Amino acid sequence: MRMSKGRLIVFSAPSGCGKGTMLAEILKDENYCVSVSATTRSPREGEVDGVNYYFMSKGDFLQRVADSEFLEYAEYCDNYYGTLMSEVDGKLNEGKNVILEIEVQGALKIREKRPDALMIFILPPSVSELRRRLKKRGTETDEVIEQRVSQAAREIEVASKYDYAIVNDALEDAISDFFAVMRAEKLKTQFSENTINEVLKNA
Amino acid sequence: MRMSKGRLIVFSAPSGCGKGTMLAEILKDENYCVSVSATTRSPREGEVDGVNYYFMSKGDFLQRVADSEFLEYAEYCDNYYGTLMSEVDGKLNEGKNVILEIEVQGALKIREKRPDALMIFILPPSVSELRRRLKKRGTETDEVIEQRVSQAAREIEVASKYDYAIVNDALEDAISDFFAVMRAEKLKTQFSENTINEVLKNA
């Protein structure tokens, strides 16, 4: 079978929805990878250029912004972070599905630039369960937890703009949901023109 | 969990694609059923009204056509056959996924009337494999087989107008494809507004 291009996947979830655990599970499948971001912040101990981030100067970063080389970028704590188009397309052309882990506003911008992106939102079973999970961590004050919960609720309101919403209640089910989505997407006729043409060959 | 409405599924395949075997497999799952057609032809030995068909007179059938009670209907060998809207909607409201096994032209008409219908096309691995399968049956002359193969090729050209195309090469894979599609469809945000609202409840 001919190798086909990978799929660009936008993956968003409010804090506390278990996105990290889900991603770790998905990345065990070698057909998936995450996109390495570019940043202007300094490398920390042990961080490797091209693995953790592409480290670059502010001048270099802004030149690339001017040259429209970024799929999206944002400023955070006086540094820039962004996704290079070349990084994403390189991996897609290798046949990998590229996961962009990104917050809601950035995700919606990507949708505009890349209507072929597959947008997946991870939901908690309920907002009250999310509050319970955040409290269980015990790392934040009640006030901070309430801020996170409100933030999560605002993000969830945008979930309907994504293609799919997966509830992460039991991890195993959420992972099966994800792979069912990927399997079904491949069967969509808009992506299987090649299959149809192959079937018709030598008719 | 609240019972949700079932999904209307349009299922088409050229002759020799193993649609019957696939359907039999899918119908083992009690969430799925086929729609019982209405017809003006006489019941055959053993056929039961409301099980095999809804048997009715031509006068009754045409009155129902005039009253727009059919989702689709066609004339075949001097008799009418059709799908009653009441039959389909009754089963959907019971929470069943209703499969309409229907040829390409009828299917495209249903798409117009019911844009929510899930359109699935079953493909053979290749047209030459289809020819091989038909020959293996040994029930038709070469001429009839070639007619069927040409007819299949014409139908396959319309496959891209369906939502999904599933190649029935190994039955087990085709069935898994089908259930992956159904699972993914439920996760589409356009059908999971309720889920999102439930998550936000008591925020």
Side-chain angles (χ1 to χ4, degrees):
Chain A
M1 204 186 278
R2 186 164 20 87
M3 192 186 68
S4 55
K5 247 189 96 174
R7 201 67 199 278
L8 176 59
I9 303 163
V10 171
F11 210 74
S12 304
S15 149
C17 289
K19 183 178 57 167
T21 324
M22 275 190 74
L23 268 182
E25 202 58 40
I26 292 165
L27 292 172
K28 287 182 186 167
D29 183 329
E30 60 178 18
N31 296 307
Y32 295 83
C33 66
V34 285
S35 161
V36 176
S37 298
T39 184
T40 60
R41 82 151 164 75
S42 309
R44 289 181 194 144
E45 181 80 28
E47 283 185 340
V48 178
D49 185 49
V51 175
N52 303 93
Y53 284 98
Y54 294 108
F55 296 102
M56 55 183 72
S57 68
K58 274 193 185 168
D60 191 6
F61 196 104
L62 292 172
Q63 182 58 52
R64 285 164 184 263
V65 168
D67 293 345
S68 306
E69 288 186 27
F70 281 102
L71 196 51
E72 57 80 38
Y73 73 97
E75 203 180 348
Y76 178 72
C77 292
D78 209 26
N79 270 305
Y80 291 99
Y81 294 81
T83 307
L84 286 164
M85 221 105 70
S86 56
E87 158 76 5
V88 167
D89 287 324
K91 286 176 169 167
L92 291 175
N93 288 331
E94 285 169 23
K96 296 260 190 190
N97 298 308
V98 180
I99 299 178
L100 283 189
E101 203 191 327
I102 201 164
E103 48 62 59
V104 172
Q105 294 312 320
L108 297 181
K109 277 183 211 157
I110 289 179
R111 157 122 299 174
E112 284 169 30
K113 283 196 188 171
R114 300 284 288 245
D116 60 318
L118 183 59
M119 312 265 297
I120 299 180
F121 196 95
I122 309 303
L123 291 166
S126 67
V127 171
S128 45
E129 168 63 14
L130 183 67
R131 181 181 288 113
R132 204 188 60 74
R133 287 185 191 174
L134 291 171
K135 281 192 176 166
K136 207 178 151 200
R137 281 190 194 168
T139 51
E140 281 127 356
T141 63
D142 279 1
E143 200 191 331
V144 171
I145 288 174
E146 284 315 312
Q147 280 170 6
R148 287 192 172 234
V149 167
S150 309
Q151 172 66 19
R154 279 194 300 275
E155 286 175 26
I156 292 168
E157 278 166 15
V158 188
S160 64
K161 295 199 195 293
Y162 283 63
D163 297 311
Y164 297 93
I166 295 177
V167 175
N168 185 10
D169 192 353
L171 177 67
E172 206 177 311
D173 290 342
I175 295 292
S176 297
D177 278 346
F178 174 82
F179 284 111
V181 164
M182 295 308 299
R183 183 167 186 157
E185 281 286 319
K186 276 197 163 181
L187 301 170
K188 276 191 175 172
T189 51
Q190 66 191 109
F191 300 113
S192 56
E193 282 283 354
N194 282 341
T195 312
I196 296 170
N197 291 333
E198 290 278 327
V199 168
L200 283 172
K201 241 191 213 168
N202 313 316
Chain B
M1 203 188 280
R2 186 165 19 89
M3 192 186 70
S4 55
K5 246 189 96 174
R7 199 70 197 277
L8 176 59
I9 303 163
V10 171
F11 210 74
S12 303
S15 149
C17 288
K19 181 177 59 169
T21 323
M22 275 190 74
L23 268 181
E25 203 57 41
I26 292 165
L27 291 172
K28 286 181 186 167
D29 182 329
E30 59 178 18
N31 295 308
Y32 294 84
C33 66
V34 285
S35 160
V36 175
S37 298
T39 183
T40 60
R41 81 154 165 74
S42 308
R44 290 180 195 145
E45 182 79 29
E47 282 185 338
V48 179
D49 185 50
V51 175
N52 304 93
Y53 284 97
Y54 294 108
F55 296 101
M56 56 183 70
S57 67
K58 276 192 185 168
D60 191 6
F61 196 104
L62 292 172
Q63 183 58 52
R64 284 164 184 262
V65 169
D67 294 344
S68 307
E69 288 185 27
F70 281 101
L71 195 52
E72 58 80 39
Y73 73 98
E75 204 180 345
Y76 178 73
C77 293
D78 209 27
N79 270 304
Y80 290 100
Y81 294 81
T83 307
L84 287 163
M85 221 105 71
S86 56
E87 158 76 4
V88 168
D89 288 323
K91 285 176 170 167
L92 291 176
N93 289 331
E94 284 169 25
K96 297 261 190 189
N97 297 308
V98 180
I99 299 178
L100 283 189
E101 202 191 329
I102 202 166
E103 49 61 57
V104 173
Q105 294 312 320
L108 297 181
K109 277 185 211 156
I110 290 179
R111 156 122 301 175
E112 284 169 33
K113 283 197 189 172
R114 301 284 288 245
D116 60 317
L118 182 59
M119 311 265 297
I120 299 179
F121 196 95
I122 309 303
L123 291 166
S126 67
V127 171
S128 46
E129 167 63 15
L130 183 67
R131 182 181 287 114
R132 205 189 58 75
R133 287 186 191 173
L134 291 171
K135 280 191 177 167
K136 207 177 150 201
R137 280 190 193 169
T139 51
E140 280 128 356
T141 62
D142 280 1
E143 201 193 328
V144 171
I145 287 174
E146 284 313 312
Q147 282 171 5
R148 286 192 172 232
V149 167
S150 309
Q151 172 67 20
R154 279 194 299 275
E155 288 175 25
I156 292 168
E157 279 165 16
V158 188
S160 63
K161 295 199 195 292
Y162 283 64
D163 297 311
Y164 296 93
I166 295 176
V167 175
N168 186 10
D169 192 351
L171 176 67
E172 207 176 311
D173 290 341
I175 295 293
S176 297
D177 278 346
F178 173 83
F179 284 111
V181 164
M182 295 307 299
R183 184 167 187 157
E185 280 286 319
K186 276 197 163 181
L187 301 170
K188 277 191 173 170
T189 51
Q190 66 191 110
F191 299 114
S192 55
E193 281 283 355
N194 282 341
T195 311
I196 296 170
N197 291 334
E198 291 279 327
V199 168
L200 284 172
K201 241 192 213 167
N202 312 316

